[in-house]
Amino acid sequence: MHTTPPTPPFPARRRRAVALAVAAVLAAPAAWTAAPASAVETFPFRDPHLPVDARVKDLLGRLTTDEKVSLLHQYEPAIPRLGIKRFKTGTEALHGVAWSTDIDASGAVRTAQGTVFPQSVGLGATWDPALMKQIGSAVGDEARGYNSENPDVWGLQLWAPVVNLLRDPRWGRNEEGYSEDPLLTGLLATAYGKGMQGDDPDRLKAAPVLKHYLAYNNEIRRDQTSSSVRPRVLKEYDEVPFKLPLTQDAATGLMTSYNLVNGRPATASPLVNDARRWSGKTLLNVTDAGAPNNLVGSEQYYPDLPAGDAATIKAGVDSFTTDDTNSSITTNAVKTALSKGLLSEADLDRAVGNILSVRVRLGEFDPGGGKYGKITKDAVDSPAHRALERKAATEQMVLLKNQNNALPLSSGKKVAVVGPLSNTLYTDWYSGSLPYKVTPLDGIKNKVGAGNVASSEGVDRIALKDVKTGKYVAGGTTAAGAVLKTGPTTADASAQFDVFDWGQGIVTLRSAANGKTVGIHSGNTFANDQDQPNGWFVQQMFKLEKQGDGSYLMRYAGYEKAYDWADPTKIYVKAQDDGTLVLTTKDDATAFAKDVVGSGVDSAVKAATSADTAVVVVGSMPFINGREDHDRTTMALAEGQEELIKAVRKANPNTVVVVENSYPTTLTWEQANVPAILWTSHAGAETGNALASVLFGDESPSGKLPQTWYRSESDLPDILDYDIIKSDRTYLYYKGKPLYPFGYGLTYTTFRYGKPKLSSHSLSGGKTLTVTVPVTNTGRRAADEVVQLYTHQRTSRVKQPVEQLRAFQKVHLAPGKTASVTLQVKASDLATWDVTRNKWTLETSRQDVLVGSSSTDIRQRAAVDVHGERVPARDLTRPTRAADFDDQNAVQLVDESKAKGDAVAGTEGSWLAFKDAALENGTLTVRAAKETAGNSTVQVRLDSPTGPVAATLTVPSTGGKYTYKDVTAALHATGRHDLYLVFNGEARLSALTLR
């Protein structure tokens, strides 16, 4: 499968040496080229001693056009005459080998059962590239292990890691990314990719693919929304985490994203080809699932698939992930494109050559599968990998609060472990299945003994009775469950359900009889037969809506109800005459009485009252609280979970809250009222053991937050606003006071930072600044500290970040010990993208060098004088792209044409600013387009959007948004000014020139 379907009803997603070698191949004896298919080992492409490029050239030359085209789809068929086996792109491996798709007609999902490492956002909290490389290597080994048993299903092109920046914590896929910071994300992704690939420069253990290119941070209408990304945001932010791994040869390809970027679908964006220059290796780029069809469907960007597929290939994409296993739609479209001249044979050869290059490097054509071909299924869930998973689960936990040393706990005291996540572990959409589970309750019992632990999940146990018949809803009592029906006249075990509150009214029901979750069964009935909420369309969600007479209607809230093909009126539950529960309309729904068999709050309070300390484990269900295709509208805890915390805290002042989820949470009440708070992602099978080791002080917490935790959703702009500079997004530009800042995390000791020593107090182009700082553990416990170095540029032509991470190092220190931590910053790292000349520019300025324990906990400061250049006044006598503005209001970056280029679209009241321009009286020419009838005007104002008018440009209708016309006006202004273009009506501007 692919990343996942965008729309229903998809199922669950050395040049000289090379030249000489190629010449040798072409001059090879006839026996090489005339060998029968049975002697495939004699073909040069099977010679492991030849360079990769030579082998690819040989194989490419043996393929027919039809055979080449057949390789462009995700499911690449066998070519028997050459002894080439089937090959499939895309095994999901975000935080462990997760799942792949079968070769059967439906492309059914096959889930791995192996090592599930913490979610990516948790791995981001480790700030530990060395650990990430170990994890990547383990994932590569397990991928090889699965591949050794079934290479048709378990391909070695791994669709991971996700390097999209966590710009907005409401993004449903927050769990999939590492950080809001480009450097941290890029370094962790580089380490993970290098681990997966292995250390051989020419052979690959596995082939990692970076997701999703580019500027993709929203699920709402994700295949139709356009990310408006100005050049500075593109160069300084969104491109960076892709560029870093590629420049280090730590990835073998990109997956394009669903969204549009500046009005052009990312699937067919020339930015894909631009990214190839970053890598020293050949890249195999793929589309996201179904995205090629979006080009002619939801996006309506191309008239037909031949045109769309041709544009996609020309843009730099090589493999099409679409139409499940049915490759004929793609191959027929590509053949049509070739016949119409939309594609050339050279275009085809380039794409197929990219595919074959990665296949060669994977050892597919080497004897025995090459260097990594001997890895077997024994690698999966090995003892070493279990130990590594526990280490990762431990390192990613972040201590958010620890008032009066509430933690660590004493192992000799009684502990109450309560809360809806206390005795379960959840997986997410990109997880494999867990081979075993150590829940928080299990881990604490393992640590202090079951006799010292009281427990309660803190959820209500209820029974639902049909008011009309007096019969209770019941499920099956065996592990297989049964279709829910009304029947019992008393609330026996079969009629009792535990209610888990996930917020905003959404609950799930777990049968007390067999521990299984209730969900849709066979289309229109329900059964207690599911392990956890799951699936692309999560079909285990309900709302219990209280009516005026005290009864309840049971509303089904499965995710598929968001789509047109599902009947939006039949969302309520009815008990039929035979008692079977089915979906119906609200008017026809059954009224139920809700009997509370046991109060979750009362049970938790009872356990907490009897203990020395209460540990409340709350958080999210990854399939429900935001995930792919579903952004969050709140970052708050579920209302019932917060009430549980308040009740337990009132009953036992020694309360510790453990938040287990995938995103920043607005814990304002908890921060003010609870002694200790610890965060963990959904961290895999060893979560409970790792949690116990931190709570009881066997390990000192060392995780640091990889993104800002805000106090409220009101601190954030619209999720579709991608201009982080203008909207003050992320720690880079945010000027408010967060709940917990980027890089924050407490530990069980204290650290003293000594005065930093700089290698120089001046820095110029091509040089590197070395900062050495002594860090001492001044406490009584051994612990890790992440030493962070930020810089701030004091003066600049443009708006600069408040501060920006430039380097970090994780160090382990025993009590009383000091480490000399060395951090380096290259002068080039301090460059800004200069939109006036379209180049990286190191400005002359004093830079603050800030060293500390988080972005706001700066312990030591120094300064360095950076010697670069002063950006000259903007010269508008040279053609200036409209997109190269310095500031804007209410504009959108759009596609200048379908092939390439950006333009700026504005409406009434929009404006663009071009700062510090050298002006003289003359003629201003603006290249403009206007699709609608009538005229618009663009006023040219000086120094502010309301400043003196220096010119007025009239933009007539040009008949099309891609049809541009030069419009002119006399400009009356001299000297250096900020030039503002103020829109009065709708228009697109692509360039301007002053003559």
Side-chain angles (χ1 to χ4, degrees):
M1 172 86 170
H2 358 82
T3 293
T4 42
T7 55
F10 262 81
R13 228 193 59 352
R14 305 164 294 210
R15 299 188 179 277
R16 174 173 161 79
V18 169
L20 291 174
V22 170
V25 169
L26 297 178
W32 281 91
T33 56
S38 60
V40 292
E41 68 277 0
T42 63
F43 291 143
F45 73 82
R46 294 188 176 276
D47 184 353
H49 302 293
L50 289 176
V52 171
D53 288 355
R55 298 172 71 182
V56 171
K57 185 176 179 66
D58 173 68
L59 178 50
L60 192 61
R62 298 178 188 280
L63 299 175
T64 68
T65 297
D66 283 353
E67 287 169 340
K68 293 174 187 175
V69 172
S70 75
L71 300 180
L72 296 177
H73 189 265
Q74 178 186 22
Y75 291 83
E76 301 176 28
I79 304 176
R81 69 182 187 86
L82 296 175
I84 295 175
K85 298 178 181 180
R86 290 185 293 206
F87 182 88
K88 183 175 71 65
T89 63
T91 294
E92 299 292 356
L94 183 61
H95 51 111
V97 180
W99 48 268
S100 186
T101 45
D102 212 332
I103 57 174
D104 63 16
S106 67
V109 168
R110 297 275 297 273
T111 302
Q113 186 178 74
T115 309
V116 177
F117 291 96
Q119 292 176 303
S120 294
V121 68
L123 295 176
T126 69
W127 289 59
D128 193 341
L131 175 64
M132 288 296 293
K133 186 175 181 182
Q134 289 181 284
I135 293 171
S137 182
V139 173
D141 287 345
E142 297 204 4
R144 278 280 175 177
Y146 275 102
N147 178 264
S148 70
E149 286 202 342
N150 190 339
D152 285 335
V153 171
W154 300 101
L156 293 172
Q157 193 203 41
L158 306 185
W159 287 351
V162 170
V163 297
N164 298 108
L165 295 167
L166 303 183
R167 173 190 63 94
D168 193 308
R170 296 167 299 190
W171 184 34
R173 304 182 76 165
N174 196 86
E175 64 198 36
E176 296 182 38
Y178 293 128
S179 171
E180 69 184 34
D181 180 74
L183 176 67
L184 178 58
T185 297
L187 293 179
L188 293 177
T190 297
Y192 191 58
K194 282 186 173 293
M196 285 195 286
Q197 288 184 178
D199 294 323
D200 191 294
D202 295 315
R203 296 294 182 270
L204 296 166
K205 181 172 16 178
V209 172
L210 304 175
K211 303 196 308 186
H212 311 79
Y213 197 72
L214 180 73
Y216 166 46
N217 274 128
N218 63 275
E219 299 305 294
I220 180 172
R221 303 188 307 278
R222 61 181 180 167
D223 59 327
Q224 299 170 56
T225 58
S226 177
S227 304
S228 185
V229 186
R230 64 199 281 185
R232 277 193 64 201
V233 174
L234 178 71
K235 297 293 184 181
E236 298 174 19
Y237 194 68
D238 284 299
E239 282 187 349
V240 176
F242 293 91
K243 186 176 181 179
L244 281 174
L246 289 177
T247 56
Q248 296 299 311
D249 291 327
T252 63
L254 302 169
M255 174 186 282
T256 54
S257 52
Y258 284 123
N259 57 296
L260 297 87
V261 180
N262 295 350
R264 186 180 295 106
T267 304
S269 171
L271 291 170
V272 181
N273 262 331
D274 291 347
R276 289 188 183 275
R277 71 183 186 274
W278 298 329
S279 178
K281 302 287 187 180
T282 299
L283 302 181
L284 162 48
N285 298 329
V286 304
T287 74
D288 210 334
N293 293 344
N294 292 342
L295 294 173
V296 300
S298 59
E299 293 163 345
Q300 298 185 354
Y301 200 77
Y302 292 102
D304 50 43
L305 271 182
D309 286 2
T312 299
I313 291 172
K314 285 178 173 290
V317 176
D318 311 305
S319 179
F320 289 74
T321 312
T322 187
D323 302 304
D324 296 324
T325 60
N326 182 6
S327 62
S328 65
I329 297 173
T330 294
T331 57
N332 289 338
V334 172
K335 289 175 184 178
T336 300
L338 286 166
S339 69
K340 289 184 174 182
L342 300 175
L343 279 177
S344 67
E345 284 286 339
D347 295 323
L348 178 61
D349 286 354
R350 183 172 56 253
V352 175
N354 294 336
I355 294 168
L356 295 177
S357 179
V358 170
R359 291 181 66 169
V360 167
R361 292 180 67 201
L362 283 167
E364 178 182 348
F365 309 123
D366 291 357
K371 177 175 181 177
Y372 300 105
K374 293 182 174 61
I375 299 175
T376 69
K377 193 71 176 292
D378 291 340
V380 177
D381 190 34
S382 67
H385 291 176
R386 290 189 175 194
L388 183 62
E389 200 281 311
R390 179 167 177 174
K391 176 178 172 63
T394 302
E395 278 202 36
Q396 54 93 51
M397 293 184 179
V398 182
L399 183 59
L400 299 174
K401 183 181 181 182
N402 195 22
Q403 182 179 341
N404 298 325
N405 297 318
L407 293 176
L409 304 176
S410 170
S411 58
K413 300 294 181 67
K414 189 168 183 179
V415 181
V417 183
V418 302
L421 277 78
S422 63
N423 198 29
T424 189
L425 294 180
Y426 290 123
T427 54
D428 62 31
W429 180 249
Y430 287 103
S431 294
S433 62
L434 299 174
Y436 64 98
K437 296 180 180 181
V438 184
T439 70
L441 178 60
D442 295 333
I444 292 172
K445 284 182 175 180
N446 292 342
K447 175 63 183 174
V448 300
N452 290 317
V453 178
S455 65
S456 166
E457 288 181 293
V459 298
D460 287 346
R461 178 163 291 184
I462 68 169
L464 294 170
K465 181 174 62 177
D466 183 338
V467 172
K468 184 177 180 181
T469 66
K471 296 179 179 180
Y472 286 89
V473 176
T477 58
T478 67
V483 172
L484 265 59
K485 297 182 177 181
T486 57
T489 56
T490 59
D492 60 20
S494 69
Q496 296 179 18
F497 299 91
D498 296 323
V499 183
F500 288 80
D501 177 11
W502 302 114
Q504 298 179 292
I506 297 294
V507 300
T508 54
L509 303 174
R510 188 186 64 194
S511 171
N514 67 355
K516 294 297 183 71
T517 298
V518 172
I520 286 283
H521 179 83
S522 300
N524 198 40
T525 60
F526 301 88
N528 59 326
D529 61 352
Q530 297 164 41
D531 288 334
Q532 69 165 50
N534 62 83
W536 179 248
F537 300 112
V538 183
Q539 299 178 322
Q540 299 84 14
M541 302 188 294
F542 300 90
K543 290 187 175 182
L544 299 178
E545 298 181 348
K546 191 171 185 179
Q547 305 301 297
D549 61 0
S551 66
Y552 288 81
L553 297 186
M554 190 173 178
R555 178 179 172 182
Y556 171 64
Y559 275 165
E560 79 277 15
K561 290 300 178 183
Y563 294 98
D564 293 341
W565 54 267
D567 187 339
T569 65
K570 293 185 177 181
I571 57 177
Y572 286 86
V573 174
K574 171 186 178 180
Q576 298 189 122
D577 291 343
D578 68 353
T580 304
L581 300 190
V582 297
L583 288 174
T584 188
T585 62
K586 183 174 184 178
D587 291 341
D588 194 34
T590 295
F592 294 101
K594 184 178 76 171
D595 295 349
V596 179
V597 179
S599 164
V601 168
D602 290 349
S603 175
V605 166
K606 181 179 178 181
T609 303
S610 67
D612 296 296
T613 300
V615 176
V616 188
V617 189
V618 295
S620 70
M621 201 290 130
F623 279 79
I624 294 176
N625 294 110
R627 46 152 276 200
E628 182 169 2
D629 208 37
H630 294 276
D631 291 319
R632 272 173 290 280
T633 57
T634 178
M635 295 182 290
L637 286 174
E639 296 85 351
Q641 293 186 22
E642 185 152 299
E643 289 306 311
L644 176 68
I645 293 171
K646 290 178 178 178
V648 171
R649 170 65 178 85
K650 184 177 180 180
N652 190 329
N654 301 319
T655 292
V656 176
V657 171
V658 176
V659 179
E660 185 178 349
N661 67 9
S662 320
Y663 49 89
T665 310
T666 51
L667 302 173
T668 50
W669 186 91
E670 289 75 14
Q671 174 62 24
N673 294 280
V674 174
I677 308 171
L678 184 73
W679 176 83
T680 175
S681 73
H682 295 278
E686 287 287 335
T687 299
N689 284 332
L691 178 62
S693 69
V694 170
L695 290 176
F696 290 92
D698 296 333
E699 300 284 347
S700 186
S702 65
K704 299 283 187 177
L705 294 179
Q707 59 187 136
T708 304
W709 285 42
Y710 299 93
R711 295 178 179 274
S712 168
E713 289 85 6
S714 64
D715 292 336
L716 294 166
D718 190 280
I719 195 170
L720 297 178
D721 185 347
Y722 278 77
D723 190 346
I724 67 166
I725 299 174
K726 178 72 173 181
S727 60
D728 293 337
R729 285 191 104 112
T730 79
Y731 85 96
L732 292 165
Y733 294 97
Y734 184 60
K735 296 182 176 66
K737 185 177 180 181
L739 181 64
Y740 306 116
F742 172 78
Y744 172 83
L746 305 174
T747 190
Y748 293 155
T749 190
T750 54
F751 295 98
R752 182 178 66 242
Y753 283 62
K755 184 177 181 180
K757 179 180 179 182
L758 276 57
S759 59
S760 174
H761 287 281
S762 66
L763 184 65
S764 56
K767 302 296 183 180
T768 297
L769 175 70
T770 300
V771 179
T772 305
V773 58
V775 180
T776 303
N777 183 343
T778 54
R780 298 181 179 180
R781 293 177 177 271
D784 292 341
E785 170 71 331
V786 179
V787 181
Q788 303 164 42
L789 187 153
Y790 300 83
T791 63
H792 168 69
Q793 185 170 325
R794 295 186 186 179
T795 58
S796 175
R797 180 189 175 278
V798 297
K799 181 178 179 179
Q800 287 286 337
V802 175
E803 60 189 336
Q804 185 162 3
L805 182 71
R806 301 299 187 183
F808 61 90
Q809 186 176 333
K810 195 166 194 172
V811 294
H812 182 79
L813 286 170
K817 297 299 183 180
T818 299
S820 182
V821 178
T822 299
L823 304 166
Q824 292 188 323
V825 182
K826 295 179 180 179
S828 58
D829 295 339
L830 304 178
T832 299
W833 184 255
D834 176 17
V835 294
T836 72
R837 296 172 296 172
N838 298 119
K839 68 173 188 175
W840 289 103
T841 299
L842 183 67
E843 290 184 287
T844 295
S845 175
R846 174 157 285 199
Q847 295 252 5
D848 295 313
V849 178
L850 313 169
V851 182
S853 190
S854 82
S855 59
T856 62
D857 185 9
I858 301 303
R859 306 291 183 86
Q860 292 289 343
R861 298 172 177 266
V864 60
D865 290 316
V866 176
H867 300 288
E869 61 176 309
R870 304 283 184 188
V871 178
R874 190 189 277 270
D875 182 2
L876 293 180
T877 64
R878 297 182 301 180
T880 297
R881 304 294 303 172
D884 287 328
F885 54 79
D886 291 298
D887 197 3
Q888 57 85 17
N889 176 67
V891 303
Q892 290 291 313
L893 283 150
V894 294
D895 50 337
E896 181 179 19
S897 71
K898 289 190 175 183
K900 63 180 180 179
D902 293 336
V904 177
T907 57
E908 188 73 30
S910 301
W911 53 256
L912 296 174
F914 300 87
K915 300 292 184 71
D916 191 28
L919 303 179
E920 57 184 31
N921 292 331
T923 300
L924 182 66
T925 301
V926 174
R927 192 158 179 77
K930 186 175 184 294
E931 186 172 20
T932 57
N935 294 339
S936 294
T937 61
V938 176
Q939 288 185 326
V940 182
R941 292 179 175 269
L942 302 181
D943 300 322
S944 84
T946 58
V949 177
T952 299
L953 297 148
T954 300
V955 181
S957 173
T958 61
K961 62 183 179 181
Y962 300 132
T963 304
Y964 288 87
K965 178 181 179 180
D966 288 343
V967 297
T968 62
L971 179 75
H972 302 287
T974 58
R976 292 171 72 160
H977 293 276
D978 295 341
L979 193 73
Y980 284 79
L981 302 185
V982 182
F983 290 73
N984 295 299
E986 170 264 326
R988 285 186 174 211
L989 309 182
S990 69
L992 60 152
T993 311
L994 178 62
R995 300 294 187 192

